[in-house]
Amino acid sequence: MMNTIRVSEYFYSIQGEGLTVGVPAVFLRLQGCNLDCGSSGGSWVCDTEAVWKKGSKHTILELYQLLMINFDDAFQKGAHLVITGGEPLIQQAAVIALIEQFKIKPFIEIETNGTIEPISQLKDLVNQWNISPKLSNSGESHEKRINTQALGWFKAQQNTIFKFVVSNASDISELEDEFIWLDRLPIRQKFLMPAADNRTDLHKFYEPIIELAKKQGYSLSQRFHLTVWDQKTGI
């Protein structure tokens, strides 16, 4: 069993994106990622890069105790635990060990870029998979950002949603060429999300992205945290 885990931050807020937007949630951001969106071009930059590139090591027990000291009341009231990054599945053995510490497990969401297939022990511990496969607008190479086998695993799970960062119609064309299987998914399992890392750009993109979602049959993912707190992190 993994005994340590690398953590960038943890805080209590609300879910700002996807299917469970608005639900109170404890966010656990793990350190590190296998992608670096925006660092080599592309039309947008990862909005949490400055956070997930830093962090500290904790024992699993130490981290569990910190979460319970700070957020036990929130969990008792129904707050979700959102495990994010970076890319949390880099440390999935540690994630399993952490979740198994809970005597009463909260609703668990994992935010991942879809390039790493979960190991079998993790499947039954997660209530919702929030998958954000990257398009070429991320600036990452196809080889780095697409793992067909991992995406096949995620799309076979009924508790998966997919979120795509887009800014224009050409992004939609790429999306539908690359992910032709999306056409078979229910509309509440696939979301378009504006390519913005600040409040001003977010509101500029909302209207055209809403029109694309209506036309192509996707749900719109808000980025509620940017609307309220702009570029602040950890809240």
Side-chain angles (χ1 to χ4, degrees), residues 42-45 137 164-172 192-213 220-223 226-227:
S43 61
W44 58 274
V45 177
N137 62 21
F164 296 90
V165 175
V166 299
S167 58
N168 53 50
S170 65
D171 289 340
I172 302 296
L192 301 183
M193 189 161 65
D197 66 352
N198 63 79
R199 183 188 293 152
T200 300
D201 286 348
L202 178 68
H203 287 285
K204 178 177 68 176
F205 279 126
Y206 262 145
E207 187 171 345
I209 299 305
I210 287 170
E211 293 305 312
L212 288 170
L220 174 78
S221 174
Q222 298 184 52
R223 306 196 75 181
L226 288 179
T227 298

Side-chain angles (χ1 to χ4, degrees), residues 105-215:
K105 184 176 75 68
F107 188 102
I108 305 286
E109 299 183 39
I110 288 187
E111 307 262 357
T112 171
N113 59 35
T115 61
I116 299 173
E117 183 175 342
I119 55 181
S120 58
Q121 298 96 310
L122 189 55
K123 178 180 178 180
D124 294 334
L125 297 175
V126 175
N127 298 95
Q128 183 173 300
W129 300 97
N130 302 327
I131 316 303
S132 298
K134 306 311 177 198
L135 303 177
S136 60
N137 62 21
S138 67
E140 295 285 69
S141 69
H142 187 275
E143 181 181 11
K144 287 184 65 177
R145 62 185 170 82
I146 299 297
N147 180 333
T148 302
Q149 181 173 318
L151 287 173
W153 188 93
F154 287 117
K155 71 183 181 182
Q157 313 306 312
Q158 293 186 341
N159 60 340
T160 292
I161 68 161
F162 291 91
K163 300 181 296 180
F164 296 90
V165 175
V166 299
S167 58
N168 53 50
S170 65
D171 289 340
I172 302 296
S173 296
E174 178 188 344
L175 190 162
E176 297 196 328
D177 287 342
E178 181 75 44
F179 306 96
I180 56 175
W181 43 267
L182 283 170
D183 188 54
R184 300 190 296 272
L185 287 184
I187 198 167
R188 292 296 287 165
Q189 279 187 259
K190 50 187 179 181
F191 292 79
L192 301 183
M193 189 161 65
D197 66 352
N198 63 79
R199 183 188 293 152
T200 300
D201 286 348
L202 178 68
H203 287 285
K204 178 177 68 176
F205 279 126
Y206 262 145
E207 187 171 345
I209 299 305
I210 287 170
E211 293 305 312
L212 288 170
K214 288 161 56 181
K215 181 179 179 181

Side-chain angles (χ1 to χ4, degrees), residues 23-89:
V23 174
V26 174
F27 284 80
L28 173 63
R29 189 178 307 283
L30 302 187
Q31 184 182 4
C33 193
N34 59 343
L35 301 179
D36 198 359
C37 299
S39 65
S40 302
S43 61
W44 58 274
V45 177
C46 175
D47 61 351
T48 58
E49 178 183 23
V51 183
W52 61 253
K53 285 190 172 182
K54 301 176 183 178
S56 56
K57 184 182 289 187
H58 298 268
T59 68
I60 299 297
L61 181 58
E62 177 185 36
L63 178 59
Y64 170 73
Q65 291 173 336
L66 286 170
L67 293 175
M68 297 308 291
I69 289 168
N70 288 282
F71 310 119
D72 182 43
D73 185 60
F75 288 134
Q76 289 190 42
K77 288 181 169 64
H80 291 190
L81 174 61
V82 179
I83 303 174
T84 185
E87 177 45 63
L89 293 187

